[in-house]
């Protein structure tokens, strides 16, 4: 039997870092939602007790470094599954882009293998397993829109933001999430985005409010390391996006746009500067 799972990309509407904890992790507050740019995973049971990963994308690891592999191994070990699985990753989400592609693949693997092997694991338990693989995985298991606290694993579902177009632009540079967090001086941050204002904009369905209260403290690091990300933000603003922010640790920049008439102008304008541009919708 073959099954399929979609693994959508996430964007952070807000990312705040309160402090660095004694255990080395950062205490964060993140508001995340999903967009309809997604990897597609195909999973097929194998008679032999093994995990095989393939992908058309030439630039991701296919061994135990792959997050889908790690998710399959975790669920097999924890639930004593003696069967094997072949997982094909049809990658559409740009890699190392701040869009949680790997985390979403891991989450889709957990959901998919739960179905394939009829394990009956609750969503809550899948989230707990996911937290062992990475801070963004629990959110990717449930999807929707959520506020995450702690190191990202304490999730609270909230309403979806108002529907709009999302234009994603990924400059051709690699950003390591660990490197960005490592360079962040949380105690020296002069400004923090307002989580309360963003939450009230979302709950009242105010698109203008969502655009106003977008904020990501990791921009203080990534924009300094890579001025081209700042340049991309400025270009997107100039082209008329209603709200513009870097997602996660970058380097992808997203623009929120309410009017369809503006979308192609912004897309065409961006394509002059950046090869990887995607026009998607919020997944609401
Ligand atoms: P995050 O925002 O969660 O840090 P990201 O979007 O910045 O994630 P990913 O696309 O998840 O970054 O890739 C980060 C690293 O993980 C890459 O260096 C990649 O080689 C590795 N990786 C492992 N498994 C996968 C996978 N299934 N898909 C993409 N990258 C993967």
């Amino acid at each position: 039997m073959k099954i399929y799972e979609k693994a959508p990309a996430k964007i952070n509407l807000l990312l705040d870092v309160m402090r660095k904890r004694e255990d080395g992790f950062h205490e964060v507050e993140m508001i995340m939602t999903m967009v309809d740019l997604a990897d597609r995973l195909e999973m097929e049971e194998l008679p032999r007790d093994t995990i095989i990963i393939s992908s058309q994308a030439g630039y991701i690891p296919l061994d135990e470094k792959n997050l889908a592999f790690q998710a399959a191994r975790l669920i097999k070990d924890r639930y004593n599954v003696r069967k094997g699985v072949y997982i094909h990753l049809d990658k559409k989400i740009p890699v190392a882009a701040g869009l949680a592609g790997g985390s979403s693949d891991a989450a889709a693997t957990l959901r998919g293998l739960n179905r394939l092997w009829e394990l009956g694991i609750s969503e809550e338990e899948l989230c707990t397993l996911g937290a062992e693989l990475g801070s963004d995985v629990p959110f990717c298991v449930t999807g929707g829109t959520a506020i995450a606290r702690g190191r990202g694993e304490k999730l609270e579902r909230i309403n979806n933001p108002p529907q709009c177009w999302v234009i994603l632009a990924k400059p051709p540079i690699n950003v390591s999430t660990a490197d960005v967090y490592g360079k962040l001086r949380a105690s020296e941050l002069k400004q923090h985005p307002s989580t309360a204002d963003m939450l009230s904009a979302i709950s009242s369905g105010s698109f203008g409010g969502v655009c106003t209260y977008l904020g990501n403290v990791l921009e203080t690091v990534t924009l300094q390391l890579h001025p081209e990300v700042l340049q991309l933000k400025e270009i997107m603003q100039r082209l008329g996006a209603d709200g513009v922010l870097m997602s996660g640790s970058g380097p992808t920049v997203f623009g929120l746009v309410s009017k369809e008439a503006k979308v192609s102008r912004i897309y065409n304008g961006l394509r002059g500067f950046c090869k990887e541009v995607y026009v998607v919708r919020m997944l609401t």
Side-chain angles (χ1 to χ4, degrees):
M1 189 170 79
K2 257 189 203 173
I3 60 154
Y4 299 91
E5 276 285 331
K6 261 184 151 186
K10 70 100 224 252
I11 55 171
N12 295 90
L13 299 175
L14 185 140
L15 195 163
D16 196 9
V17 178
M18 305 354 218
R19 64 185 177 91
K20 189 165 181 187
R21 312 189 315 195
E22 283 80 58
D23 62 7
F25 287 106
H26 288 84
E27 190 73 22
V28 297
E29 210 158 61
M30 300 189 287
I31 298 179
M32 302 180 283
T33 193
M34 298 205 131
V35 295
D36 68 355
L37 172 68
D39 295 343
R40 185 167 179 268
L41 281 74
E42 181 185 312
M43 296 173 221
E44 189 173 10
E45 189 176 304
L46 294 175
R48 218 154 44 86
D49 187 354
T50 180
I51 301 166
I52 298 173
I53 309 276
S54 71
S55 175
Q56 95 296 3
Y59 36 78
I60 56 164
L62 299 175
D63 55 9
E64 69 280 352
K65 289 197 202 74
N66 194 296
L67 280 156
F69 183 103
Q70 292 172 20
R73 185 173 55 192
L74 181 64
I75 211 165
K76 268 168 62 54
D77 287 354
R78 211 51 65 80
Y79 290 86
N80 237 330
V81 180
R82 297 265 171 264
K83 299 164 193 162
V85 65
Y86 165 68
I87 303 174
H88 180 74
L89 301 173
D90 184 7
K91 292 290 297 177
K92 293 281 188 291
I93 305 173
V95 175
L99 299 171
S103 302
S104 199
D105 289 349
T109 302
L110 295 176
R111 286 194 307 267
L113 293 182
N114 188 27
R115 280 202 291 135
L116 184 70
W117 290 329
E118 297 175 343
L119 299 171
I121 309 169
S122 68
E123 189 175 84
E124 202 183 335
E125 178 60 19
L126 287 180
C127 288
T128 310
L129 279 178
E132 294 183 35
L133 299 166
S135 303
D136 280 345
V137 181
F139 167 68
C140 294
V141 167
T142 56
T145 305
I147 176 160
R149 296 192 172 90
R151 63 179 179 94
E153 83 290 5
K154 292 184 193 144
L155 285 178
E156 192 187 316
R157 283 295 284 263
I158 58 172
N159 285 345
N160 287 321
Q163 183 55 277
C164 65
W165 298 93
V166 183
I167 303 179
L168 302 162
K170 181 190 172 282
I173 48 174
N174 288 320
V175 172
S176 144
T177 304
D179 192 32
V180 171
Y181 272 101
K183 292 196 164 74
L184 182 76
R185 295 286 158 264
S187 57
E188 291 164 21
L189 286 170
K190 292 194 181 67
Q191 272 190 325
H192 289 271
S194 170
T195 304
D197 284 327
M198 177 57 91
L199 287 175
S200 86
I202 291 174
S203 74
S204 63
S206 161
F207 176 72
V210 169
C211 292
T212 303
Y213 296 113
L214 291 172
N216 179 353
V217 296
L218 299 183
E219 285 188 344
T220 57
V221 179
T222 308
L223 268 46
Q224 271 219 327
L225 291 175
H226 304 285
E228 53 272 61
V229 180
L230 175 60
Q231 199 191 3
L232 199 56
K233 280 191 72 179
E234 288 168 351
I235 293 167
M236 227 191 257
Q237 263 148 359
R238 246 196 340 264
L239 288 168
D242 300 301
V244 176
L245 192 71
M246 183 182 82
S247 186
S249 52
T252 301
V253 168
F254 68 86
L256 304 182
V257 181
S258 66
K259 293 207 175 69
E260 189 171 0
K262 275 195 202 172
V263 171
S264 56
R265 184 161 53 94
I266 298 174
Y267 175 82
N268 291 330
L270 281 168
R271 290 278 294 157
F273 297 92
C274 185
K275 262 184 23 201
E276 270 190 276
V277 184
Y278 307 84
V279 175
V280 298
R281 299 281 285 169
M282 295 252 192
L283 260 193
T284 54

